[in-house]
Amino acid sequence: MNGCQPRTVLVTGGAGFIGSYFVRIWLATQPNIRIVTLDRLTYSGSLDRLRQLPNPHRHTFIHGDICNQRLVESILREHEVNCIVHFAAEIHVDRSISGPALFVQTNIVGTFTLLEAARQYWLNEKKWNANQCRFHQVSTDEVYGSLRHEDPPFTESSSYHPNSPYAASKASGDHLAWSYFHTYGLPVSFSNCSNNYGPAQQPEAFIPTVIRSCLHQRPIPIYGDGSNRRDWLFVEDHCHGITQVILKGRPGGKYNFGGGSDRINLEVVQLICDLLDRWRPQATSYASLMTFVKDRPGHDWRYAVDDRKARLEFGWKPVMDFQTGMEKTVGWYLQGFFA
């Protein structure tokens, strides 16, 4: 293994759902590391997620755009950043269908801007080697495309077949990052994860949408017949996996992270309704709010990843089982957060 030794870490999208968990975990567990968070604070970013951080004196927040190359370069130099963990992305598939241009700008141009700034500062100016710096590209299982029922899970060597503008823009960012590793020798690592969930997720995501619909007694929208299948990964387990890649993984390494919690969408909705029926009962079950709506264009049927590589190399495995993770998530909303 050939990991990095981070000193100052730039976390892009650190006010987003997954990024904010990463910031919090690293401030709590990596005592000699400073964190700089760069976030544009769009619909998916919120400073509420960065309140009451552990060891806040080691954290700096910067409001800005990853596409602003002058800003990115100034951050790298001013803070002597030697590790970039790139979470920042436009992520909502429905938004990418109605307005793909922003996804191209953020997920492709933004990734290029970060890569180019890192190349200039780390390789051309500092002359650092692979042990002294790291660019980690956070990606998704959606870049692999869709699986049929009988297909095995995606592995790290599976071909990319993105089917939505979101997935295509993320795949493009991944390819750019790989080209900077292969062409320039920029130490880049990669991770692809299954669907994340947990408290404080952006409201437009599937699970928060279902919970909020129930709490506000609105129809629960379910695409098609609800048979689309996803694997669910608790957000903290994902962040711990990324940590292992940065500290122990080799440049050019790619790792899948899955939750081992394969469910069809209808099962997830039913679990949420069952929990709310138990904790906040109404005259009729929340399941009566289920409403099947027209499927979205190009809706992938199934995602699943094979994460044996991360298990073998790092000893990583998801700790949170789906039932407990969903109880934590639904309970968080019942306390009134982001409701």
Side-chain angles (χ1 to χ4, degrees), residues 201-221:
Q201 192 169 14
Q202 64 275 11
E204 291 175 306
F206 175 65
I207 288 174
T209 294
V210 175
I211 297 172
R212 289 159 62 91
S213 295
C214 290
L215 295 180
H216 293 284
Q217 288 291 297
R218 296 195 296 255
I220 302 169

Side-chain angles (χ1 to χ4, degrees), residues 96-238:
S96 81
I97 294 171
S98 60
L102 186 58
F103 287 73
V104 171
Q105 181 69 16
T106 300
N107 299 353
I108 303 177
V109 176
T111 301
F112 164 74
T113 301
L114 292 165
L115 289 164
E116 186 63 10
R119 180 176 76 90
Q120 293 294 341
Y121 178 59
W122 294 346
L123 303 187
N124 295 348
E125 295 180 23
K126 289 292 188 178
K127 312 291 186 187
W128 284 340
N129 61 38
N131 293 323
Q132 296 173 293
C133 54
R134 174 64 62 89
F135 186 109
H136 184 72
Q137 172 76 357
V138 180
S139 191
T140 169
D141 56 4
E142 296 193 39
V143 298
Y144 295 124
S146 182
L147 291 169
R148 297 168 298 181
H149 176 74
E150 66 274 16
D151 290 334
F154 297 118
T155 70
E156 287 82 359
S157 60
S158 295
S159 299
Y160 275 25
H161 294 287
N163 290 320
S164 69
Y166 159 63
S169 65
K170 286 296 293 180
S172 298
D174 293 357
H175 290 318
L176 274 172
W178 176 259
S179 76
Y180 270 66
F181 166 72
H182 184 76
T183 302
Y184 303 113
L186 189 73
V188 181
S189 54
F190 304 81
S191 59
N192 297 69
C193 65
S194 53
N195 280 34
N196 278 220
Y197 74 101
Q201 192 169 14
Q202 64 275 11
E204 291 175 306
F206 175 65
I207 288 174
T209 294
V210 175
I211 297 172
R212 289 159 62 91
S213 295
C214 290
L215 295 180
H216 293 284
Q217 288 291 297
R218 296 195 296 255
I220 302 169
I222 303 172
Y223 281 130
D225 61 1
S227 66
N228 297 78
R229 185 173 290 273
R230 302 290 184 264
D231 176 43
W232 294 94
L233 173 64
F234 194 69
V235 58
E236 291 180 357
D237 287 329
H238 181 200

Side-chain angles (χ1 to χ4, degrees), residues 38 53 61 119 173 248 281:
L38 175 62
L53 292 173
F61 176 79
R119 180 176 76 90
K248 299 178 182 178

Side-chain angles (χ1 to χ4, degrees), residues 192-316:
N192 297 69
C193 65
S194 53
N195 280 34
N196 278 220
Y197 74 101
Q201 192 169 14
Q202 64 275 11
E204 291 175 306
F206 175 65
I207 288 174
T209 294
V210 175
I211 297 172
R212 289 159 62 91
S213 295
C214 290
L215 295 180
H216 293 284
Q217 288 291 297
R218 296 195 296 255
I220 302 169
I222 303 172
Y223 281 130
D225 61 1
S227 66
N228 297 78
R229 185 173 290 273
R230 302 290 184 264
D231 176 43
W232 294 94
L233 173 64
F234 194 69
V235 58
E236 291 180 357
D237 287 329
H238 181 200
C239 291
H240 287 304
I242 292 172
T243 298
Q244 294 299 307
V245 179
I246 295 168
L247 299 182
K248 299 178 182 178
R250 65 189 183 277
K254 182 178 182 181
Y255 302 87
N256 287 338
F257 294 108
S261 301
D262 186 86
R263 302 284 192 283
I264 66 169
N265 288 348
L266 201 57
E267 289 178 289
V268 177
V269 175
Q270 186 63 59
L271 174 57
I272 293 170
C273 292
D274 290 345
L275 290 172
L276 288 172
D277 284 340
R278 187 200 318 166
W279 292 340
R280 187 174 288 183
Q282 303 287 327
T284 58
S285 171
Y286 290 94
S288 65
L289 297 171
M290 291 185 191
T291 304
F292 295 94
V293 299
K294 182 180 178 181
D295 209 354
R296 71 183 177 207
H299 196 180
D300 290 340
W301 184 70
R302 173 180 167 236
Y303 304 130
V305 296
D306 184 332
D307 57 21
R308 284 178 293 180
K309 182 178 178 181
R311 292 173 184 256
L312 289 172
E313 288 196 22
F314 307 135
W316 173 91

